[in-house]
Amino acid sequence: MADSLFLPLAAKSSNAHSSLFFRNCPSPSRLLPPKSSSLLLHGGEKKISVLGLSLYSRVSLPHRAAPIRALDSDVPHPLHKGMITALLGNLSLLSYFAKKRETEAVVVQTLGVISTFVVISQLAIGEAMPLPQYVATSVVVAAGLILNFLNHYGMLNSTIWQFWEDFITVGGLSVLPQIMWSTFVPYIPNSILPGSIAFVVAVASVTLSHSGKLSEKGPKFIGAISGWTATLLFMWMPVSQMWTNFLNPDNIKGLSAISMLLAMLGNGLLIPRALFIRDLMWFTGSLWATLFYGYGNIVCMYLLKTISLEFFLAATVGLIAWIGMALWRDAAVYRYNSPLRSLKELVFGS
């Protein structure tokens, strides 16, 4: 009976290299019979081959001696990749608002860069992020903060700033389609083709912009790409979250209702300013994040009975009231009869 207990493990372990049995046993070969031995099964003598298992046990001993990080056991994709995407989005928007001299928005994006970098540093300390990637990320973050600070106060050479804008344009445009594609893996093939194609297009666009071969509006369009790609990166975050909630409804139980409420409030506070200065990109990103990231997850939490009806109604009434007040006050400041005129100017211009 004791010998028969080894059969399921022997049959499984030749292919399952992550078997808990072989990771934790100090010497699996000691638990196995010799290669020429036979095992007694149900009263009859049958010989089984344990050669493959014995070879595997001996060859993989050095591998089993290595520590197994807890983060590697149940996380299908490295955590730092999502954080780097958020970091790139913050840096791109930081550059966009620094160029427009929007001090309040610059402060918000700077805090976003710093807080995200703190999380990445924790992942690096926990060995969940390779050291070379962490060093490269640290250099980009430091350079981005310094360059944006200098440019915000008019202390930076225009050539250096142009190089930085080209860098974040290529980076953002390359990452965006790859992130969109990877959201739906494994329902679609895992591929780096979307990001590769976008990288080639981005490099070609930046090159043509500097060569003067584009139309008069071409350079302005290329210059706006980094801001729009950053906005789309953040707009995609709630889409990815809702897709995850759809596939794994229990995942919504891990979300904090207060965090989602703060996300809704934080992005909602930016809507009036974006509307007032007629910044379509800023308005679109703020409104999208308010509705689909903050409020959208609150709706999901209510449907799955993880928050109360009172909490849901308070969030709903507060959101409608805030957006309505923003439209009404903007129309009053510009002396318009209808808030719709403000939205028309925002989309189509004055």
Side-chain angles (χ1 to χ4, degrees):
M1 177 64 181
D3 287 338
S4 65
L5 293 177
F6 290 101
L7 288 178
L9 294 173
K12 180 181 179 181
S13 300
S14 59
N15 292 324
H17 297 276
S18 61
S19 172
L20 188 61
F21 172 78
F22 286 103
R23 285 178 176 241
N24 295 329
C25 289
S27 181
S29 59
R30 294 180 184 177
L31 302 177
L32 299 171
K35 286 185 281 187
S36 60
S37 65
S38 60
L39 298 180
L40 188 62
L41 303 176
H42 303 292
E45 186 175 354
K46 294 183 180 180
K47 291 187 177 181
I48 64 170
S49 173
V50 294
L51 177 59
L53 186 57
S54 299
L55 287 176
Y56 168 74
S57 302
R58 290 168 184 158
V59 171
S60 61
L61 279 175
H63 173 72
R64 292 197 308 276
I68 303 170
R69 295 190 293 268
L71 287 174
D72 293 338
S73 61
D74 54 6
V75 179
H77 303 289
L79 294 175
H80 63 273
K81 290 186 177 180
M83 300 307 300
I84 291 178
T85 302
L87 186 64
L88 179 60
N90 284 127
L91 283 172
S92 298
L93 288 178
L94 174 60
S95 301
Y96 176 81
F97 290 122
K99 189 175 181 180
K100 293 174 69 73
R101 302 294 192 272
E102 288 287 342
T103 304
E104 294 80 5
V106 167
V107 172
V108 171
Q109 297 304 324
T110 300
L111 293 176
V113 171
I114 294 175
S115 61
T116 304
F117 182 71
V118 169
V119 176
I120 290 177
S121 299
Q122 293 174 336
L123 293 175
I125 293 173
E127 299 183 3
M129 180 179 186
L131 182 60
Q133 291 188 20
Y134 175 71
V135 173
T137 302
S138 302
V139 172
V140 172
V141 169
L145 291 176
I146 294 173
L147 292 177
N148 279 285
F149 176 83
L150 295 176
N151 183 69
H152 181 70
Y153 290 100
M155 302 165 59
L156 186 66
N157 181 276
S158 59
T159 302
I160 299 177
W161 178 251
Q162 184 63 58
F163 176 80
W164 170 254
E165 281 194 316
D166 293 342
F167 172 77
I168 59 175
T169 296
V170 173
L173 194 57
S174 303
V175 168
L176 177 61
Q178 189 63 47
I179 292 297
M180 291 180 171
W181 181 274
S182 62
T183 299
F184 303 106
V185 173
Y187 295 93
I188 57 177
N190 189 10
S191 173
I192 62 171
L193 186 61
S196 302
I197 294 176
F199 174 78
V200 173
V201 172
V203 172
S205 300
V206 170
T207 303
L208 290 174
S209 176
H210 291 304
S211 66
K213 295 182 179 180
L214 297 178
S215 62
E216 184 178 346
K217 296 183 179 180
K220 293 182 180 180
F221 174 78
I222 300 298
I225 286 180
S226 61
W228 274 106
T229 51
T231 300
L232 292 173
L233 280 172
F234 284 109
M235 289 174 66
W236 190 254
M237 290 174 64
V239 176
S240 178
Q241 179 66 56
M242 290 182 180
W243 175 251
T244 301
N245 296 341
F246 173 75
L247 296 179
N248 304 293
D250 290 339
N251 182 70
I252 198 71
K253 297 178 181 179
L255 293 179
S256 168
I258 299 300
S259 297
M260 294 301 102
L261 180 63
L262 291 175
M264 185 185 76
L265 293 174
N267 287 285
L269 289 174
L270 301 176
I271 292 176
R273 176 62 181 174
L275 179 62
F276 179 73
I277 66 173
R278 301 301 189 258
D279 191 322
L280 179 60
M281 187 206 73
W282 191 3
F283 180 84
T284 302
S286 299
L287 183 63
W288 181 278
T290 301
L291 295 177
F292 294 98
Y293 184 62
Y295 184 71
N297 279 300
I298 289 177
V299 172
C300 292
M301 297 174 76
Y302 172 71
L303 294 176
L304 293 175
K305 308 301 182 182
T306 60
I307 60 173
S308 65
L309 175 62
E310 293 77 10
F311 187 96
F312 172 71
L313 290 178
T316 302
V317 173
L319 176 61
I320 295 174
W322 177 253
I323 294 179
M325 186 181 69
L327 293 172
W328 171 68
R329 289 301 304 163
D330 186 84
V333 169
Y334 282 95
R335 301 181 184 275
Y336 294 156
N337 295 326
S338 171
L340 295 179
R341 183 173 176 182
S342 297
L343 294 176
K344 181 180 178 181
E345 288 185 355
L346 176 69
V347 178
F348 300 105
S350 56

